[in-house]
Every structure is written in structure tokens, then in C-alpha cells.
Amino acid sequence: AVAFLCNRIKRSCTASLSSTVCYCAFLNVILHSVVVVCLCNVQYFENLFLLFRFSEMADIITESSTVTTVSETTEVRCQEKTRGGLCYEVILSEPEVKATPPKRPNSPNNNKNVSIQDIEDKLRAAEERRQQLELNKVAALSAQIMKIEEASRKKDEQTNNFISVTRDALEQKMETHIGKREAYIHELKSKMKDHIDTVEKTRLSLEQQCDEVRSALEEKMNSASHQRDENIKKMLERLKAHNERQEEIKENIEVTEEVLKTERSKRLETKLTAAELNREKEIQRKLEVIKKNVRMHVNTFLVYMICVVENVQ
């Protein structure tokens, strides 16, 4: 923002001496603003406000149709055609109404009458006129230089006054800021001290609580390990009793299996003998039935043969 305003006022303030004074004052404000920005942010915003005020003044200067320069007769007319572009019209002096110059006498046709003395007189007169013109120019330039020096002196006085006033204001504000900063640092140190004390107390209380918790945990771990050992012993005794009971049950099962096996074998033998007897009885019964059937068939055959024989006879 500062660079933008500087370029803008530099373009708009090159038309006249008053704008040059504004530009120099603006540069002084920029320098003091940079110093104050490094020290205090509050002063930066105040100087930035001054920068905008100077930029508005420069805009007013550029919008004016005519601007007077150091010389009373010289004028510079500027007009802003485009953004950042200016058009200048330099008027050195007002038009002077001069009398009608006398007509030169006609030169004689005969140039043979001109002597060397006349030529030297004319050259001497021309030299005197040239010297007089140079003296007039030097006098005008000296007057302009005196006016420029007077304007620069006034500008330096205004700049020095502005610098002194600004320096005093800055020093006063810096002293105020330093006092506030020291008070803030002192307050911050006191707060940090209180905070450190609170942290130390909290740390001590936490260490005490940690010791208590550690001792309680150690007691619980010892009791838990003792209880675990007792539980392991009880479980081992139960497992031993269970194994003994399992061995007894296994022996009883083997004995009962042997008894059942012998009984089963006896029952099977009795069943086999009974089945064998029943099979023999069934075979005898079937043989008797077969014998009866054979007898019946034989008797029937004999009867049939007898009948056949009788029929044949």
C-alpha cells in the first residue's frame, strides 16, 4: 500500500513546486512510518491514515487546471488524461503587445561606400546588444534562482518543523509504549510465577498420589499373588482327587465290563444251546411232516394205480 501511494503521488506531484513539497513531506512520513512499524503496530495505522490524507491532497493538486511555479510569469498547466498519464502545457510568459517596429531604411544600392569603420561600429553595437541580452538573462535567472532558494528554504523549514513535531510525537508515543510494555512484562512475569508455583504444587500432589497408588497396587499385587498361589494349590488338590476318582471309576468300569462279558457269554451259550435244540426239534417236526406227505402221496399213487388197473381190466 505504501509503495502504491508513493508511486501515485510521485506521478501527480512532479508538476509544481508545491506538489514537490508535498512529495518530500510524504517521503518523510513514509520513513517515519517504517521506523514506527518496526516498533509499534498502533503507530503504523496512524501513519497510514496520514498517508491517505497526503494522497488525497495530491489528487486535489493534480485535478487543478493550473499550477503556478516559482517564476511569476511562468505557468505549468497539467491535466490527467489517463490513469497515471499527465498532459502538460508550459507557458513561459504572457503575450506582450509590442509597438510596430520601425521600417529599416532601404540599403543603398551602392555598397561601395561602406567602410571598415562602419562595419566595426556595427559589430561593436551587436556585441553590446548581445552582452546586454546576456546580462538580462543572467539577472532573470538569478531572480529565479533566488526565488527557488527561498522556496527550498521554506520547504526545508516546513520539513524540519514537521520532522521535529513528528519526532516529538513519536518519542512520546514510544515512551508510553515502553511503559506499557514494561508493565505488561511485569504483569506477565508475575502471572508466570504464580503459574509455576501452581504447577509445582500440582506436581507434588500428583507425585504423592502416585506414591499412594503405587503402594496400594503393590499391596494388591502381593495379596493377589498369595491368593493365586492358594487357588493353584486348591486346584492341584482337586485335580489329584479327580484323577484318583477317575482311576477308581475306570477300575470299576473294567470289573463291571468283565462281569458283563462273562454273563453275556453265558447267556449266549445258553441261547445257542436252546437254539440248537429248537433247530433239531424243528428238523424232526419237518421230517415227520415230510414222511406224512410222502405216505399220503404213496397212498394216493397206489389208489390211482389200482383204479387204472381196474379200468384196464
Side-chain angles (χ1 to χ4, degrees), residues 73-90:
T73 59
T74 304
E75 292 183 0
V76 178
R77 296 178 182 177
C78 63
Q79 184 178 2
E80 187 173 359
K81 295 292 185 180
T82 59
R83 186 175 182 82
L86 297 175
C87 178
Y88 294 95
E89 292 182 2
V90 181

Side-chain angles (χ1 to χ4, degrees), residues 129-247:
R129 287 195 300 273
R130 186 178 63 78
Q131 290 178 359
Q132 186 65 31
L133 289 173
E134 289 180 356
L135 290 174
N136 292 331
K137 288 181 180 179
V138 169
L141 289 173
S142 62
Q144 289 182 1
I145 289 169
M146 289 177 65
K147 289 181 180 180
I148 290 170
E149 289 177 353
E150 183 68 21
S152 63
R153 185 180 61 78
K154 290 181 180 179
K155 182 200 67 168
D156 293 335
E157 289 179 357
Q158 292 177 359
T159 304
N160 292 326
N161 291 329
F162 178 76
I163 289 170
S164 62
V165 172
T166 307
R167 186 185 294 110
D168 294 336
L170 288 174
E171 288 177 354
Q172 185 177 1
K173 288 182 179 180
M174 285 298 296
E175 290 176 357
T176 305
H177 175 68
I178 289 169
K180 290 181 180 179
R181 184 170 63 84
E182 290 178 354
Y184 176 73
I185 290 170
H186 181 69
E187 184 180 359
L188 187 63
K189 286 182 179 179
S190 62
K191 288 182 179 180
M192 289 295 292
K193 186 177 180 181
D194 296 336
H195 180 68
I196 290 169
D197 294 335
T198 306
V199 170
E200 187 66 23
K201 290 179 181 178
T202 306
R203 186 181 63 80
L204 293 174
S205 63
L206 286 174
E207 288 180 355
Q208 185 177 0
Q209 291 177 3
C210 288
D211 294 333
E212 292 176 356
V213 171
R214 189 181 294 108
S215 61
L217 286 173
E218 288 178 355
E219 291 178 357
K220 287 183 179 180
M221 289 294 291
N222 293 325
S223 62
S225 62
H226 182 68
Q227 187 70 27
R228 183 172 61 83
D229 294 335
E230 290 180 355
N231 291 329
I232 289 170
K233 288 180 181 179
K234 290 180 180 179
M235 289 177 69
L236 290 172
E237 291 176 356
R238 288 177 183 176
L239 287 172
K240 187 176 180 181
H242 179 70
N243 291 327
E244 291 177 354
R245 180 66 178 168
Q246 192 174 5
E247 290 292 333

Side-chain angles (χ1 to χ4, degrees), residues 61-121:
I61 291 170
T62 55
E63 290 176 359
S64 63
S65 62
T66 58
V67 179
T68 59
T69 59
V70 178
S71 178
E72 294 179 354
T73 59
T74 304
E75 292 183 0
V76 178
R77 296 178 182 177
C78 63
Q79 184 178 2
E80 187 173 359
K81 295 292 185 180
T82 59
R83 186 175 182 82
L86 297 175
C87 178
Y88 294 95
E89 292 182 2
V90 181
I91 301 172
L92 297 177
S93 63
E94 294 293 334
E96 296 179 358
V97 179
K98 296 182 180 180
T100 304
K103 294 182 179 180
R104 292 182 180 180
N106 294 325
S107 60
N109 294 325
N110 191 6
N111 293 327
K112 294 179 180 180
N113 295 327
V114 178
S115 62
I116 296 172
Q117 186 67 31
D118 294 334
I119 293 171
E120 289 178 354
D121 292 337

